[in-house]
Amino acid sequence: MKTKEELLVEENIKLVHFAINKKYKRINEKIKYLGLYEDFYQEGCIGLFKAAKAFDESKGFKFTTFAFYWIDFQLRHFITRYIPKHYNDNLVSIDKKINKDDKREITLKDTIYSYDEYNGLYSDLKKFAKTTKVKDIDTIIDLSLEGLSQREISIVIGISQPEVSRRIRRFKSEFEIYSSLGELVRINKVS
């Protein structure tokens, strides 16, 4: 024999589809595109189950009215918490205009280093790393370019992660001063 809660859920299961189609028409396309409709529907069913469990008919509400709010709450929770965390749709064109000034158009492509520019910056960093007194910075640069996090670098070098962060900041501020110096001073400093 089924409980009262189970009967309420069975009789009102179509309310989940109704709530999705009524309140979430605009986002429904994106959810279908991401292949999340079944998850979205299940989240609405969870709301229906919670409503059936919490429903008290002595309060004078109709179950459908009460359940609609619970379903809506669960669906909102899914949209605001789950989708941004797990499904970022961050496709951006490399030709997208990124400045607001209409006189000179700058695209995303213009801001990305080419291999030559990147290689030049890397060689400048490595040259400057030999002149600085920041300990193990040469190793830190190499490990960070390999993709290691500050925590992983700290384990390799044998120091704490905050110390790695401090050394990087110290080196960065010294390098910024070095880069802002004139060409002649930089040549003398590195040579």
Side-chain angles (χ1 to χ4, degrees), residues 148-155 159-162 164-166 168:
L148 271 68
S149 68
Q150 288 183 7
R151 184 174 182 77
E152 293 165 332
I153 292 170
S154 71
I155 293 168
I159 58 176
S160 68
Q161 183 273 323
V164 171
S165 181
R166 280 191 285 273
I168 290 171

PDB file of all heavy atoms in Angstrom, residues 148-155 159-162 164-166 168:
ATOM      1  N   LEU A 148      52.593  23.753 -13.134  1.00  0.00           N
ATOM      2  CA  LEU A 148      52.434  23.414 -11.719  1.00  0.00           C
ATOM      3  C   LEU A 148      51.843  24.590 -10.954  1.00  0.00           C
ATOM      4  O   LEU A 148      52.162  25.746 -11.242  1.00  0.00           O
ATOM      5  CB  LEU A 148      53.779  23.028 -11.100  1.00  0.00           C
ATOM      6  CG  LEU A 148      54.174  21.547 -11.192  1.00  0.00           C
ATOM      7  CD1 LEU A 148      54.446  21.145 -12.622  1.00  0.00           C
ATOM      8  CD2 LEU A 148      55.371  21.270 -10.321  1.00  0.00           C
ATOM      9  N   SER A 149      51.017  24.294  -9.981  1.00  0.00           N
ATOM     10  CA  SER A 149      50.442  25.329  -9.126  1.00  0.00           C
ATOM     11  C   SER A 149      51.478  25.740  -8.082  1.00  0.00           C
ATOM     12  O   SER A 149      52.493  25.058  -7.895  1.00  0.00           O
ATOM     13  CB  SER A 149      49.182  24.816  -8.440  1.00  0.00           C
ATOM     14  OG  SER A 149      49.521  23.808  -7.509  1.00  0.00           O
ATOM     15  N   GLN A 150      51.202  26.837  -7.383  1.00  0.00           N
ATOM     16  CA  GLN A 150      52.118  27.285  -6.342  1.00  0.00           C
ATOM     17  C   GLN A 150      52.262  26.221  -5.258  1.00  0.00           C
ATOM     18  O   GLN A 150      53.346  26.027  -4.712  1.00  0.00           O
ATOM     19  CB  GLN A 150      51.641  28.607  -5.732  1.00  0.00           C
ATOM     20  CG  GLN A 150      51.813  29.774  -6.655  1.00  0.00           C
ATOM     21  CD  GLN A 150      51.409  31.083  -6.009  1.00  0.00           C
ATOM     22  OE1 GLN A 150      51.119  31.147  -4.819  1.00  0.00           O
ATOM     23  NE2 GLN A 150      51.386  32.137  -6.795  1.00  0.00           N
ATOM     24  N   ARG A 151      51.194  25.535  -4.958  1.00  0.00           N
ATOM     25  CA  ARG A 151      51.245  24.476  -3.949  1.00  0.00           C
ATOM     26  C   ARG A 151      52.158  23.340  -4.399  1.00  0.00           C
ATOM     27  O   ARG A 151      52.967  22.830  -3.625  1.00  0.00           O
ATOM     28  CB  ARG A 151      49.831  23.964  -3.670  1.00  0.00           C
ATOM     29  CG  ARG A 151      49.742  22.928  -2.584  1.00  0.00           C
ATOM     30  CD  ARG A 151      48.278  22.602  -2.297  1.00  0.00           C
ATOM     31  NE  ARG A 151      48.110  21.662  -1.249  1.00  0.00           N
ATOM     32  CZ  ARG A 151      48.228  21.928   0.035  1.00  0.00           C
ATOM     33  NH1 ARG A 151      48.514  23.134   0.421  1.00  0.00           N
ATOM     34  NH2 ARG A 151      48.047  20.993   0.937  1.00  0.00           N
ATOM     35  N   GLU A 152      52.040  22.935  -5.653  1.00  0.00           N
ATOM     36  CA  GLU A 152      52.878  21.864  -6.186  1.00  0.00           C
ATOM     37  C   GLU A 152      54.341  22.296  -6.246  1.00  0.00           C
ATOM     38  O   GLU A 152      55.244  21.517  -5.944  1.00  0.00           O
ATOM     39  CB  GLU A 152      52.381  21.445  -7.570  1.00  0.00           C
ATOM     40  CG  GLU A 152      51.017  20.780  -7.546  1.00  0.00           C
ATOM     41  CD  GLU A 152      50.355  20.673  -8.903  1.00  0.00           C
ATOM     42  OE1 GLU A 152      50.629  21.520  -9.788  1.00  0.00           O
ATOM     43  OE2 GLU A 152      49.546  19.742  -9.081  1.00  0.00           O
ATOM     44  N   ILE A 153      54.574  23.564  -6.620  1.00  0.00           N
ATOM     45  CA  ILE A 153      55.942  24.088  -6.651  1.00  0.00           C
ATOM     46  C   ILE A 153      56.541  24.067  -5.250  1.00  0.00           C
ATOM     47  O   ILE A 153      57.704  23.708  -5.057  1.00  0.00           O
ATOM     48  CB  ILE A 153      55.969  25.520  -7.238  1.00  0.00           C
ATOM     49  CG1 ILE A 153      55.606  25.490  -8.729  1.00  0.00           C
ATOM     50  CG2 ILE A 153      57.330  26.177  -7.031  1.00  0.00           C
ATOM     51  CD1 ILE A 153      55.378  26.855  -9.345  1.00  0.00           C
ATOM     52  N   SER A 154      55.736  24.432  -4.251  1.00  0.00           N
ATOM     53  CA  SER A 154      56.236  24.456  -2.877  1.00  0.00           C
ATOM     54  C   SER A 154      56.667  23.066  -2.420  1.00  0.00           C
ATOM     55  O   SER A 154      57.648  22.919  -1.702  1.00  0.00           O
ATOM     56  CB  SER A 154      55.177  25.024  -1.931  1.00  0.00           C
ATOM     57  OG  SER A 154      54.114  24.116  -1.764  1.00  0.00           O
ATOM     58  N   ILE A 155      55.970  22.038  -2.873  1.00  0.00           N
ATOM     59  CA  ILE A 155      56.330  20.663  -2.505  1.00  0.00           C
ATOM     60  C   ILE A 155      57.642  20.266  -3.177  1.00  0.00           C
ATOM     61  O   ILE A 155      58.520  19.672  -2.549  1.00  0.00           O
ATOM     62  CB  ILE A 155      55.187  19.688  -2.881  1.00  0.00           C
ATOM     63  CG1 ILE A 155      53.972  19.977  -2.006  1.00  0.00           C
ATOM     64  CG2 ILE A 155      55.627  18.238  -2.746  1.00  0.00           C
ATOM     65  CD1 ILE A 155      52.697  19.290  -2.455  1.00  0.00           C
ATOM     66  N   ILE A 159      59.453  24.322   0.287  1.00  0.00           N
ATOM     67  CA  ILE A 159      59.092  25.490   1.088  1.00  0.00           C
ATOM     68  C   ILE A 159      57.571  25.581   1.136  1.00  0.00           C
ATOM     69  O   ILE A 159      56.884  24.810   0.475  1.00  0.00           O
ATOM     70  CB  ILE A 159      59.707  26.800   0.500  1.00  0.00           C
ATOM     71  CG1 ILE A 159      59.255  27.013  -0.957  1.00  0.00           C
ATOM     72  CG2 ILE A 159      61.212  26.771   0.596  1.00  0.00           C
ATOM     73  CD1 ILE A 159      59.724  28.319  -1.564  1.00  0.00           C
ATOM     74  N   SER A 160      57.042  26.530   1.892  1.00  0.00           N
ATOM     75  CA  SER A 160      55.586  26.667   1.990  1.00  0.00           C
ATOM     76  C   SER A 160      55.020  27.384   0.761  1.00  0.00           C
ATOM     77  O   SER A 160      55.731  28.120   0.076  1.00  0.00           O
ATOM     78  CB  SER A 160      55.219  27.452   3.255  1.00  0.00           C
ATOM     79  OG  SER A 160      55.647  28.793   3.135  1.00  0.00           O
ATOM     80  N   GLN A 161      53.735  27.165   0.507  1.00  0.00           N
ATOM     81  CA  GLN A 161      53.081  27.829  -0.627  1.00  0.00           C
ATOM     82  C   GLN A 161      53.063  29.341  -0.470  1.00  0.00           C
ATOM     83  O   GLN A 161      53.317  30.062  -1.430  1.00  0.00           O
ATOM     84  CB  GLN A 161      51.661  27.262  -0.804  1.00  0.00           C
ATOM     85  CG  GLN A 161      50.905  27.812  -1.989  1.00  0.00           C
ATOM     86  CD  GLN A 161      50.157  29.089  -1.680  1.00  0.00           C
ATOM     87  OE1 GLN A 161      49.616  29.250  -0.593  1.00  0.00           O
ATOM     88  NE2 GLN A 161      50.124  30.001  -2.619  1.00  0.00           N
ATOM     89  N   PRO A 162      52.799  29.884   0.744  1.00  0.00           N
ATOM     90  CA  PRO A 162      52.860  31.342   0.878  1.00  0.00           C
ATOM     91  C   PRO A 162      54.253  31.910   0.571  1.00  0.00           C
ATOM     92  O   PRO A 162      54.366  33.005   0.032  1.00  0.00           O
ATOM     93  CB  PRO A 162      52.474  31.586   2.339  1.00  0.00           C
ATOM     94  CG  PRO A 162      51.640  30.415   2.717  1.00  0.00           C
ATOM     95  CD  PRO A 162      52.236  29.276   1.961  1.00  0.00           C
ATOM     96  N   VAL A 164      56.348  30.657  -1.667  1.00  0.00           N
ATOM     97  CA  VAL A 164      56.433  30.667  -3.133  1.00  0.00           C
ATOM     98  C   VAL A 164      55.739  31.915  -3.665  1.00  0.00           C
ATOM     99  O   VAL A 164      56.263  32.626  -4.517  1.00  0.00           O
ATOM    100  CB  VAL A 164      55.808  29.395  -3.750  1.00  0.00           C
ATOM    101  CG1 VAL A 164      55.695  29.516  -5.263  1.00  0.00           C
ATOM    102  CG2 VAL A 164      56.603  28.166  -3.373  1.00  0.00           C
ATOM    103  N   SER A 165      54.556  32.202  -3.134  1.00  0.00           N
ATOM    104  CA  SER A 165      53.800  33.385  -3.555  1.00  0.00           C
ATOM    105  C   SER A 165      54.582  34.666  -3.282  1.00  0.00           C
ATOM    106  O   SER A 165      54.636  35.566  -4.123  1.00  0.00           O
ATOM    107  CB  SER A 165      52.455  33.408  -2.838  1.00  0.00           C
ATOM    108  OG  SER A 165      51.702  34.516  -3.241  1.00  0.00           O
ATOM    109  N   ARG A 166      55.204  34.762  -2.114  1.00  0.00           N
ATOM    110  CA  ARG A 166      55.995  35.958  -1.767  1.00  0.00           C
ATOM    111  C   ARG A 166      57.169  36.128  -2.715  1.00  0.00           C
ATOM    112  O   ARG A 166      57.460  37.232  -3.175  1.00  0.00           O
ATOM    113  CB  ARG A 166      56.494  35.861  -0.327  1.00  0.00           C
ATOM    114  CG  ARG A 166      55.462  36.230   0.705  1.00  0.00           C
ATOM    115  CD  ARG A 166      56.089  36.372   2.082  1.00  0.00           C
ATOM    116  NE  ARG A 166      56.405  35.087   2.686  1.00  0.00           N
ATOM    117  CZ  ARG A 166      55.565  34.368   3.413  1.00  0.00           C
ATOM    118  NH1 ARG A 166      54.335  34.803   3.640  1.00  0.00           N
ATOM    119  NH2 ARG A 166      55.934  33.215   3.925  1.00  0.00           N
ATOM    120  N   ILE A 168      57.445  35.032  -5.802  1.00  0.00           N
ATOM    121  CA  ILE A 168      56.944  35.424  -7.125  1.00  0.00           C
ATOM    122  C   ILE A 168      56.598  36.911  -7.132  1.00  0.00           C
ATOM    123  O   ILE A 168      56.938  37.630  -8.070  1.00  0.00           O
ATOM    124  CB  ILE A 168      55.722  34.569  -7.530  1.00  0.00           C
ATOM    125  CG1 ILE A 168      56.167  33.133  -7.816  1.00  0.00           C
ATOM    126  CG2 ILE A 168      55.015  35.155  -8.741  1.00  0.00           C
ATOM    127  CD1 ILE A 168      55.021  32.153  -8.006  1.00  0.00           C
TER     128      ILE A 168
END
